[in-house]
Amino acid sequence: MDFLTLFGIYVVVVLTCIALVCRYSGQQHSPLNSLYSFALKRLASITPKWLQKFSQWTLHRLFHQRSNAFIYLHILLEGAVYAEFTYEVFGFCREMDTTLISLSVPYILLAIKTFFFYLCIKTDPGTVTKKKVAGQLHIYSYDRRLFHPGISCSTCQLVKPARSKHCRVCNRCVQRFDHHCVWVNNCIGAQNTRYFLLYLFSVCAMACDIALLTVDMLLHVVLRTGLLGASYLDENGQRQPAGFLFVVQHLFLTFPRIIFMLGFLLFVFFLLAGYTMFHSFLAVVNQTSNEWYKSRGYVCQHCHPSTAADILCSPVPDHSKRYYYSRGVLRNLGEIFFPPQPVQKKDN
C-alpha cells in the first residue's frame, strides 16, 4: 500500500495548494507571498547565476510575452488523453456492451471544445484603437472607484474607456478586460468572453464524460472478475478478504495508464469546475476578474502620495454599489453573449 499512500499524499498536497491559492489570491500581503519571497532568497543563494538567468528568461518568455507554448501543451495533453481513451478504454467499453452513442459523446465534445478554443484564440477581444475609442468611451460609465474619466494609457496614448485595461503581454488596451489567458495566447475581453465561458464548460463536460466512461469500465471489470469477493494472504500467511484498498491497488497494477489518465481527468475537472463556477458568477453579476481583484483590496491606481490624492480619488456616494455594472441576471448574461458594439460616427 506504499504506492497508494504516496499517491494520497500527492493529492492532498495538490488540493491544499489550490485551496491556498484560491484563499489568498489578489492579496498583496499573504502567507503565500511571504513563503514565495523566502524560497526565492534561499534558492538564489545556492543556484548558479546562469541557471537563475535562464529561469528568469524562460518564465518571462512564457508568462510575459505572447507565446504558443501553452497552446501546444494543451493539444499534447488532450491528445495523450484521447489516445489512451481510444486505444484502451474504448475497446474495453465495447466488450462490455457500452453503446456507440455513449462512446461517441467525448468526440463530439472534443469537436465543440476545439471550435470554441479556436474562437478564443482568433477573436479580437475588443482592442481599443483610434478608430473605435470614441464609440468605446460611451459603452460604459465610469464608476469613479476603479475607473476614472480622462485617464490616458501611457503606452497606447489613448483615453481609457471604463472597464478597459492595458495588457502588458499583448501590448494593447482591451475593452472590458478580464485577463490574459496563456492557454489561448490571447486576452479575454468584451468580444470573446462568451467563447471563453463556453470553452470552459466544454472542457469540463469533456473531462467529466471520459472520466465517467472510464469509471464505468473499471466497475464492470471489478464486478466481472469478482474482486470484491476475493481474498489474499497477508504477511502472516492468514487469508484476508479483499477490501476497497486492495481493489484500488489491483486496478493500479493492472491498468496503470488508465488509472493515471483517470486521476488526471478528475484533477482537471475539479480544478476547471471551480474556475468555471467563478467565471460564471462574474458573468451573472457583470464583473470581470480584473475588477474582482481590484475591488477585493481596493487601492486607487491613480493616487500618488500627495495631500490632494484622497480628494481627487474619493468614491462618489451614488457609486458605492458593490457590483456597479450589474443590470440584472438576464441583462448581464445578454451583455456577455451579445456584447455592446461601439457606435461609429458617420462622416458627413
Side-chain angles (χ1 to χ4, degrees):
M1 296 299 175
D2 292 339
F3 178 77
L4 288 179
T5 303
L6 290 174
F7 184 76
I9 294 173
Y10 165 76
V11 171
V12 170
V13 170
V14 169
L15 293 178
T16 302
C17 291
I18 294 173
L20 289 174
V21 169
C22 294
R23 170 65 179 83
Y24 294 107
S25 61
Q27 298 183 13
Q28 294 182 351
H29 304 287
S30 68
L32 287 181
N33 288 338
S34 301
L35 181 62
Y36 179 72
S37 300
F38 176 78
L40 280 182
K41 291 179 181 179
R42 291 296 182 183
L43 288 174
S45 60
I46 59 175
T47 306
K49 292 293 183 182
W50 68 268
L51 184 57
Q52 293 183 35
K53 291 182 179 179
F54 177 76
S55 301
Q56 292 173 358
W57 178 85
T58 303
L59 292 174
H60 179 77
R61 180 70 178 171
L62 289 175
F63 296 102
H64 297 282
Q65 291 182 356
R66 298 199 70 177
S67 171
N68 291 326
F70 283 94
I71 295 179
Y72 299 142
L73 178 61
H74 179 288
I75 296 173
L76 178 64
L77 293 174
E78 193 174 73
V81 169
Y82 269 86
E84 178 60 26
F85 175 77
T86 304
Y87 178 70
E88 287 197 280
V89 179
F90 190 95
F92 282 119
C93 288
R94 286 300 296 151
E95 292 178 4
M96 296 170 185
D97 300 327
T98 304
T99 63
L100 282 175
I101 295 177
S102 299
L103 291 174
S104 65
V105 172
Y107 301 98
I108 297 173
L109 291 173
L110 175 63
I112 296 173
K113 191 275 322 174
T114 303
F115 175 69
F116 290 126
F117 184 56
Y118 175 82
L119 290 177
C120 285
I121 296 172
K122 291 299 183 180
T123 302
D124 183 90
T127 305
V128 179
T129 62
K130 291 182 179 180
K131 292 182 178 180
K132 296 180 180 180
V133 67
Q136 291 171 329
L137 286 171
H138 295 89
I139 293 179
Y140 298 108
S141 59
Y142 294 92
D143 63 356
R144 298 181 183 273
R145 293 183 69 250
L146 302 177
F147 306 102
H148 298 264
I151 302 298
S152 297
C153 175
S154 58
T155 304
C156 300
Q157 299 298 315
L158 296 172
V159 178
K160 299 178 67 173
R163 311 189 76 181
S164 67
K165 186 180 184 297
H166 184 85
C167 176
R168 291 179 295 178
V169 180
C170 295
N171 194 29
R172 61 184 173 182
C173 284
V174 177
Q175 178 194 358
R176 199 185 182 279
F177 178 86
D178 191 274
H179 70 287
H180 180 89
C181 180
V182 295
W183 292 102
V184 299
N185 193 25
N186 198 5
C187 289
I188 305 302
Q191 304 302 322
N192 64 351
T193 298
R194 50 186 168 174
Y195 303 135
F196 183 70
L197 277 173
L198 293 172
Y199 160 71
L200 289 178
F201 277 112
S202 59
V203 173
C204 288
M206 192 171 65
C208 181
D209 188 61
I210 296 178
L212 288 176
L213 288 172
T214 304
V215 169
D216 181 65
M217 183 216 72
L218 294 174
L219 286 176
H220 275 81
V221 169
V222 171
L223 294 175
R224 290 192 177 189
T225 55
L227 278 175
L228 292 178
S231 59
Y232 66 96
L233 296 177
D234 60 12
E235 297 176 351
N236 299 322
Q238 297 181 353
R239 189 171 296 277
Q240 300 290 340
F244 174 76
L245 293 179
F246 177 86
V247 172
V248 173
Q249 186 183 37
H250 177 79
L251 293 175
F252 261 113
L253 297 175
T254 309
F255 308 104
R257 291 191 301 271
I258 294 178
I259 296 298
F260 275 109
M261 181 194 74
L262 178 60
F264 174 74
L265 287 173
L266 292 176
F267 171 75
V268 169
F269 172 75
F270 285 111
L271 181 63
L272 283 185
Y275 190 63
T276 304
M277 291 175 62
F278 170 66
H279 274 277
S280 300
F281 165 76
L282 293 180
V284 168
V285 300
N286 202 343
Q287 191 177 50
T288 66
S289 58
N290 175 54
E291 294 161 5
W292 182 80
Y293 274 105
K294 285 185 176 180
S295 62
R296 287 193 71 188
Y298 170 66
V299 176
C300 181
Q301 300 298 317
H302 310 296
C303 284
H304 300 281
S306 62
T307 56
D310 294 334
I311 299 175
L312 291 174
C313 295
S314 59
V316 177
D318 292 340
H319 297 164
S320 58
K321 186 168 139 178
R322 185 174 183 182
Y323 304 114
Y324 178 80
Y325 295 102
S326 180
R327 300 293 182 268
V329 175
L330 293 180
R331 292 182 65 181
N332 292 342
L333 293 177
E335 186 179 305
I336 294 294
F337 290 96
F338 305 97
Q341 302 296 325
V343 178
Q344 297 289 341
K345 292 185 178 181
K346 295 181 180 180
D347 297 333
N348 295 328

